[in-house]
Amino acid sequence: MDHPTAPVDPTSSTSPTSPTSSTDPGGITRRRALTVTGGVLAGAALVSHAFPAFAAESQDADAIVVGHGLAGLVATAELAAAGRKVLLLDQEPEASIGGQAFWSFGGLFFVNSDEQRLMGVKDTHDLAWQDWLGSAGFDRDVDDPKGQDHWAYKWAEAYVDFASGEKRSWLSGLGVQWFPIVGWAERGGGLADGHGNSVPRFHVTWGTGPAVVEPFEKKVRAAVAAGKVTFKFRHRVDGIVTTGGTVTGVRGAVLEPSSAARGTPSSRTVVGDFELRAPVVVVTSGGIGANHDLVRQNWPTRLGTPPKFMVTGVPAHVDGRMLAITERAGGRIVNPDRMWHYTEGLRNYAPIWPGHGIRILPGPSSMWFDATGRRFGAPDIPGYDTLHTLGSITASGYDYSWFVTTQKIIAKEFALSGSEQNPDLTNKNVWQLLSRIWQTPEPIEKFKKNGADFVVATSLSELVAGMNKLTGDNLIDLADLKRQIEARDREIDNPYTKDTQVMGIRNALTYIGDSLSRTASAHRILDPSAGPLIAVRLNILTRKTLGGLQTDLSGRVLNASGEPVPGLYAAGEVAGFGGGGVHGYRSLEGTFLGGCLFSGRQAGRAAAAATAT
């Protein structure tokens, strides 16, 4: 891997991070102020030399944004707000505006929020930064401007500042609201300075993913009405045009009109071609999650052998094409081996896109076994350490694992990822939401009844027979599985235990948010009153690209020498959500949508400044 020299970013600071409250205007730090305005400063510095000397009237716009997902909408909204004329391109039809964000659960990472304080959670910038560093594990020449992690680390600093500061008030000012109970995702590997969230930080948006997309889509559509933005649906970018080393536009194919519903595959029939000119191109095209070949090609050895079978957590158009296209235009890709795939994937019984998978967002109580029926140990506990568990699954020699659980557990602890799987939250239906108190959510019951990965039984022997029938490999031994479950069940009789998972259940029940909505009371798995027994086959679910195009804090794409490619910006997943890898090796959850918001805003503001006249 190359190690080019990176430029000094005009927004960086060598002073230590100083957390301040978002409600204390007198406490704004120099770092935070520079982070927020950095895009403008860096963009303005480019004006005198970045762009080719062709006449303004030969341009089609002031900026071209590639990708109408969340990061693209945010960048476009910022450009339009600054008075720029923008072309917003996407290969998909209008129905898919908002991209992956629309399908999301709407989780956002905040630090010391109103919701956390309501739940009695004490959170600080320093604790969040400790957790971020412990999870990211930046180890690729952080202090060397040539290093792959140099800009990723800077983006991480800026993002934790943002999440601790104006992120919530900015979104709240746009009308976004959150469910008051804060979720506790990625609880970590067991050490204070290691991976995981020390406290709950997963804020579910009231209205889920569509409600995160909505304010930015409204801004962009208002700009369309005002003549500032033009949508170019069904415009597939095949190349970034450069003139004398400077980006001057894009070219590609016009695809035939499509009536494909949101998320479903659309036609790739070409009916024409195009070339559009602008002094700035912002790439916001997403990651590689639907391209299993690319996922396997970049799969790291530390996670074992790539699974032969995976379900897909994103629509088919999330194919990674723009990564290679941008690299050919001079952009540098870093950390391609860092990725985020879930271990609790279900095959969707009513798929929208090919291989459509849905993730279980589990509480802490289900017992987790590998394909042979061997119970996983810490930190391979539901909701604790996704990538460590992924490595444990691949090390088993199989590409699936099992939850063994009870009706009592799934009724309270199971949630499904995706806006479409949470109609109560998505539709802001309070009565339907409250019904979770006395009944298993309907989407869970539908998967239990119709999903290909569920086995339901009244006895353990019947459950094991169903598990072996489902996989056809007869790997589960009844006596051995019973021994392990009974050993765990004996640990329930006291308020103390040596079983790490039972400790985690007790820990969860001390948090009011979990005790109210996400953790069943501690009980024996084999207690008939908690039944029926349920086994769930869990598949690997592809999801996020954590590496990508290396960018500075203004979103400028850097080349192999570490210099900005004039006129070229990137934001969102294609940029590793900033810097080519803001998450490092692991995510703290709730940071993917937030990364699109923050990097889209940074790139949009910087590009607007760079095109000022």
Side-chain angles (χ1 to χ4, degrees):
M1 189 68 68
D2 60 339
H3 299 283
T5 302
V8 177
D9 188 275
T11 71
S12 65
S13 169
T14 56
S15 63
T17 302
S18 302
T20 63
S21 169
S22 62
T23 59
D24 178 14
I28 300 298
T29 64
R30 178 175 181 268
R31 175 189 296 276
R32 184 168 294 152
L34 288 175
T35 295
V36 171
T37 60
V40 175
L41 295 174
L46 284 172
V47 171
S48 62
H49 61 82
F51 306 126
F54 53 79
E57 56 267 24
S58 70
Q59 300 176 19
D60 296 292
D62 298 313
I64 293 170
V65 177
V66 181
H68 64 205
L70 181 58
L73 290 173
V74 174
T76 300
E78 292 290 342
L79 282 156
R84 305 297 176 264
K85 182 180 178 183
V86 187
L87 299 178
L88 179 54
L89 281 61
D90 201 286
Q91 67 181 353
E92 295 307 303
E94 185 172 2
S96 286
I97 194 168
Q100 298 176 63
F102 180 91
W103 297 106
S104 75
F105 196 39
L108 290 169
F109 175 96
F110 295 129
V111 178
N112 192 26
S113 69
D114 293 349
E115 291 78 14
Q116 285 176 303
R117 291 191 292 273
L118 177 67
M119 290 287 100
V121 175
K122 297 178 181 179
D123 199 9
T124 65
H125 175 282
D126 287 348
L127 184 61
W129 183 235
Q130 171 182 298
D131 289 347
W132 196 287
L133 287 180
S135 300
F138 294 120
D139 61 1
R140 294 175 177 173
D141 300 315
V142 171
D143 298 322
D144 184 350
K146 300 178 181 179
Q148 293 187 76
D149 277 341
H150 181 73
W151 289 103
Y153 184 95
K154 288 179 177 292
W155 271 93
E157 286 185 301
Y159 184 73
V160 174
D161 280 352
F162 179 59
S164 304
E166 68 170 310
K167 179 183 177 183
R168 187 187 181 283
S169 60
W170 174 57
L171 291 171
S172 179
L174 295 173
V176 183
Q177 298 177 307
W178 298 275
F179 184 60
I181 297 178
V182 183
W184 195 356
E186 280 299 292
R187 304 184 188 206
L191 294 176
D193 59 354
H195 169 56
N197 285 295
S198 297
V199 298
R201 297 192 178 104
F202 191 81
H203 297 67
V204 178
T205 301
W206 186 233
T208 66
V212 179
V213 172
E214 181 181 11
F216 302 99
E217 182 180 350
K218 283 183 175 179
K219 284 176 175 286
V220 171
R221 290 194 183 278
V224 170
K228 291 295 183 183
V229 174
T230 300
F231 283 126
K232 293 285 186 180
F233 303 113
R234 306 297 285 156
H235 280 59
R236 185 187 70 199
V237 173
D238 296 327
I240 294 173
V241 179
T242 59
T243 303
T246 295
V247 168
T248 55
V250 297
R251 59 173 176 78
V254 179
L255 306 179
E256 69 177 354
S258 172
S259 59
R262 179 186 291 276
T264 61
S266 62
S267 166
R268 290 295 179 261
T269 299
V270 174
V271 296
D273 53 28
F274 69 89
E275 182 166 332
L276 299 168
R277 296 169 65 86
V280 159
V281 172
V282 185
V283 178
T284 66
S285 55
I288 67 173
N291 189 331
H292 289 197
D293 289 339
L294 272 181
V295 168
R296 292 188 178 96
Q297 178 182 319
N298 290 288
W299 191 273
T301 56
R302 64 181 175 275
L303 292 180
T305 303
K308 295 179 180 178
F309 175 78
M310 297 181 285
V311 291
T312 308
V314 293
H317 60 258
V318 186
D319 54 16
R321 290 181 69 255
M322 284 303 300
L323 280 162
I325 290 168
T326 309
E327 186 177 37
R328 288 197 293 271
R332 181 193 184 199
I333 296 173
V334 295
N335 302 311
D337 62 314
R338 293 180 182 169
M339 53 185 68
W340 188 261
H341 306 302
Y342 289 111
T343 50
E344 312 98 336
L346 304 174
R347 291 174 290 174
N348 194 340
Y349 66 88
I352 296 171
W353 53 79
H356 189 174
I358 294 293
R359 183 203 173 198
I360 296 173
L361 285 71
S365 302
S366 297
M367 295 187 70
W368 207 337
F369 299 87
D370 70 14
T372 68
R374 180 184 62 85
R375 187 185 179 195
F376 290 124
D380 302 331
I381 298 169
Y384 275 67
D385 191 333
T386 295
L387 291 194
H388 190 281
T389 308
L390 177 57
S392 296
I393 291 169
T394 58
S396 75
Y398 297 88
D399 51 18
Y400 68 92
S401 61
W402 289 101
F403 276 170
V404 173
T405 188
T406 67
Q407 181 68 34
K408 183 176 180 178
I409 290 172
I410 74 164
K412 193 163 187 179
E413 296 193 8
F414 274 27
L416 298 175
S417 64
S419 54
E420 82 283 13
Q421 298 298 331
N422 294 276
D424 49 355
L425 289 164
T426 301
N427 298 326
K428 303 181 182 180
N429 187 320
V430 175
W431 174 254
Q432 193 176 14
L433 179 66
L434 290 174
S435 72
R436 293 189 184 213
I437 297 172
W438 63 81
Q439 66 181 14
T440 307
E442 184 180 9
I444 299 291
E445 282 297 323
K446 285 184 175 179
F447 261 90
K448 191 181 80 172
K449 178 181 178 181
N450 302 313
D453 296 305
F454 281 76
V455 179
V456 181
T458 57
S459 68
L460 188 60
S461 60
E462 182 186 354
L463 189 76
V464 169
M467 294 164 73
N468 284 330
K469 181 180 179 181
L470 179 61
T471 61
D473 50 24
N474 294 314
L475 294 174
I476 307 298
D477 178 76
L478 172 60
D480 191 48
L481 191 70
K482 182 180 180 182
R483 175 190 61 78
Q484 295 175 86
I485 294 174
E486 287 181 338
R488 177 266 187 203
D489 280 358
R490 294 186 188 101
E491 300 291 313
I492 296 297
D493 290 341
N494 294 288
Y496 39 83
T497 178
K498 70 177 182 181
D499 189 285
T500 303
Q501 182 176 10
V502 177
M503 291 181 195
I505 296 168
R506 306 284 191 202
N507 189 36
L509 290 170
T510 65
Y511 167 50
I512 188 172
D514 273 353
S515 63
L516 284 173
S517 67
R518 290 290 286 148
T519 305
S521 60
H523 64 278
R524 291 172 178 256
I525 296 293
L526 297 181
D527 180 354
S529 67
L533 290 168
I534 301 165
V536 189
R537 179 175 58 181
L538 305 173
N539 307 283
I540 306 303
L541 175 75
T542 64
R543 186 58 66 88
K544 294 298 180 185
T545 308
L546 298 188
L549 297 167
Q550 191 171 44
T551 58
D552 65 13
L553 282 179
S554 300
R556 297 181 295 179
V557 177
L558 306 180
N559 63 19
S561 299
E563 299 293 333
V565 179
L568 186 58
Y569 295 74
E573 190 176 351
V574 75
F577 302 90
V582 66
H583 299 94
Y585 287 95
R586 289 181 173 88
S587 165
L588 286 173
E589 290 285 22
T591 55
F592 298 139
L593 291 177
C596 289
L597 293 167
F598 185 54
S599 63
R601 194 176 80 154
Q602 289 287 94
R605 291 182 178 182
T611 51
T613 56

